[in-house]
Amino acid sequence: MGCDGGTIPKRHELVKGPKKAVKVDKNAELAAKWKYCALSQEKLRRPIVSCELGRLYNKDAIIEYLLDKTAERPNSEAVTHIRGIKDIKELNLTDNPEWQGERSNTKGDRYEDMHCGMFICPVVGLEMNGKHRFCYLQTCGCVFSDRALKEVKTEICHKCGDPFSQDNLVVLNGTKEEVEKLRVKMEERRVKAKTKKSKKTRTVEAVSTETESKEAALEANGDGSVPNGSESSMTAVAGPSGSSSSSKLKPPSSSAASSAAAASAVKRSIQEMEGKSEAFKSLFTTHSSAKRTKDQTSNWVTHTPYHF
């Protein structure tokens, strides 16, 4: 009811203006990024991994996601760029000696620092709580503050001693601009990896085709002629008359069985070849000198106790 003469409405009750932006507590936002997993929203616990965009995850949560990508998760959009276990890196973190865990002050009789981080920079000692810029190396996974990398300029890791370059640095929980830059670098790396794989497959295919063509040529030569500089695969066997000899060729290898079937269709007689000498042709049983008459051939006789 109302407006019956006893009430006077005000302007803000009749006209609705634009909604005020909801203010987010900065401390809660920092705690959500640096103390909780970006996928499962659970507290970070070792082993902790990070992606190429600098987000922090629990390793078991990422493994569960990779095993079953069809399951419904609240923050699945944050891991769509992760294709496999190679797209993440386990971090080598340094524990903070002053960290006593959350809610250590159960009595409430002393001050509890909400910005105390679980990990620190091993060089400068800054706490990893979101107030300072931190990076990790893709080569070894060691985590340092940006201040330490600027003050101590070197191309060797301060913690493990592995070499690295500026391209191996990934900012942890960076701004939107930094995340976009990391995304562009990630796409460029993946394109380069694809081109390298395609080049390797092309070279392997080229080598395989060359070997197959060489095997086919060798088999074709073995059927009709002997190539120069190669060992002959014939073994001379003396005949019964002692004047002629026969030869046998080695059977083709199992890897060239398919090409041998194709070469068998174009076989021709050695005696019909014009470029071969009579001495070479006489080595084969198809030569006229190897043919024997019935008088020269003999029958097999088996001697047994029953033969008289």
Side-chain angles (χ1 to χ4, degrees):
M1 301 299 290
C3 296
D4 55 354
T7 59
I8 301 175
K10 297 181 181 179
R11 184 179 182 279
H12 71 273
E13 296 177 354
L14 299 175
V15 181
K16 293 183 178 180
K19 293 183 179 180
K20 296 181 180 179
V22 179
K23 293 183 180 180
V24 181
D25 188 7
K26 293 184 179 180
N27 295 332
E29 187 178 2
L30 293 176
K33 287 184 177 180
W34 295 92
K35 294 184 180 181
Y36 293 87
C37 174
L39 176 61
S40 62
Q41 295 299 314
E42 297 178 354
K43 293 180 181 179
L44 289 174
R45 58 182 181 275
R46 293 179 183 271
I48 300 172
V49 298
S50 179
C51 62
E52 294 177 333
L53 301 182
R55 295 167 183 159
L56 299 175
Y57 311 93
N58 288 327
K59 191 173 183 179
D60 54 355
I62 294 296
I63 293 174
E64 290 177 1
Y65 164 75
L66 294 175
L67 292 175
D68 186 12
K69 293 184 179 181
T70 59
E72 295 183 359
R73 293 179 176 83
N75 297 324
S76 59
E77 297 178 356
V79 291
T80 52
H81 60 285
I82 299 177
R83 304 167 300 176
I85 200 70
K86 292 183 179 180
D87 293 337
I88 58 174
K89 185 69 177 179
E90 185 173 348
L91 301 181
N92 186 9
L93 298 163
T94 304
D95 294 328
N96 185 6
E98 296 182 0
W99 172 255
Q100 298 179 359
E102 295 182 354
R103 297 180 181 180
S104 58
N105 187 13
T106 55
K107 296 181 180 179
D109 55 350
R110 57 190 176 88
Y111 173 73
E112 184 177 0
D113 189 4
M114 300 298 295
H115 300 289
C116 184
M118 295 183 290
F119 309 104
I120 60 172
C121 174
V123 179
V124 185
L126 295 176
E127 295 182 356
M128 198 173 74
N129 53 9
K131 290 186 175 182
H132 308 282
R133 194 164 177 262
F134 272 74
C135 308
Y136 82 92
L137 305 178
Q138 289 182 328
T139 54
C140 56
C142 296
V143 180
F144 301 97
S145 63
D146 189 38
R147 185 186 298 179
L149 296 174
K150 288 181 179 179
E151 291 181 359
V152 186
K153 295 182 179 180
T154 180
E155 295 181 354
I156 300 175
C157 178
H158 301 298
K159 194 169 184 179
C160 61
D162 291 345
F164 70 94
S165 61
Q166 294 296 325
D167 295 335
N168 302 130
L169 291 173
V170 178
V171 181
L172 291 173
N173 291 328
T175 60
K176 292 182 179 180
E177 296 177 355
E178 291 173 344
V179 171
E180 289 299 325
K181 291 180 180 179
L182 292 174
R183 192 182 295 277
V184 172
K185 289 183 179 180
M186 177 184 68
E187 293 176 355
E188 290 178 355
R189 285 194 218 100
R190 293 182 178 180
V191 171
K192 289 180 181 179
K194 286 182 180 179
T195 53
K196 287 182 180 179
K197 287 182 180 179
S198 61
K199 287 181 181 179
K200 287 182 180 180
T201 52
R202 288 175 184 174
T203 53
V204 169
E205 289 177 357
V207 171
S208 62
T209 51
E210 288 179 1
T211 52
E212 288 177 359
S213 60
K214 287 180 180 179
E215 288 178 358
L218 290 173
E219 288 171 1
N221 292 331
D223 292 336
S225 62
V226 179
N228 295 330
S230 62
E231 297 181 356
S232 61
S233 61
M234 297 178 293
T235 56
V237 180
S241 60
S243 61
S244 62
S245 61
S246 61
S247 63
K248 295 181 180 179
L249 296 176
K250 290 184 179 180
S253 60
S254 59
S255 63
S258 59
S259 56
S264 62
V266 293
K267 284 185 179 178
R268 56 179 178 171
S269 177
I270 298 174
Q271 305 302 327
E272 296 178 359
M273 293 182 181
E274 297 178 356
K276 303 300 178 182
S277 61
E278 289 294 329
F280 177 78
K281 293 179 181 180
S282 63
L283 297 174
F284 299 91
T285 57
T286 57
H287 195 259
S288 59
S289 62
K291 296 180 180 180
R292 292 172 290 176
T293 61
K294 292 183 179 181
D295 298 335
Q296 292 177 348
T297 57
S298 59
N299 297 324
W300 290 96
V301 178
T302 57
H303 295 279
T304 62
Y306 302 100
H307 180 71
F308 298 99

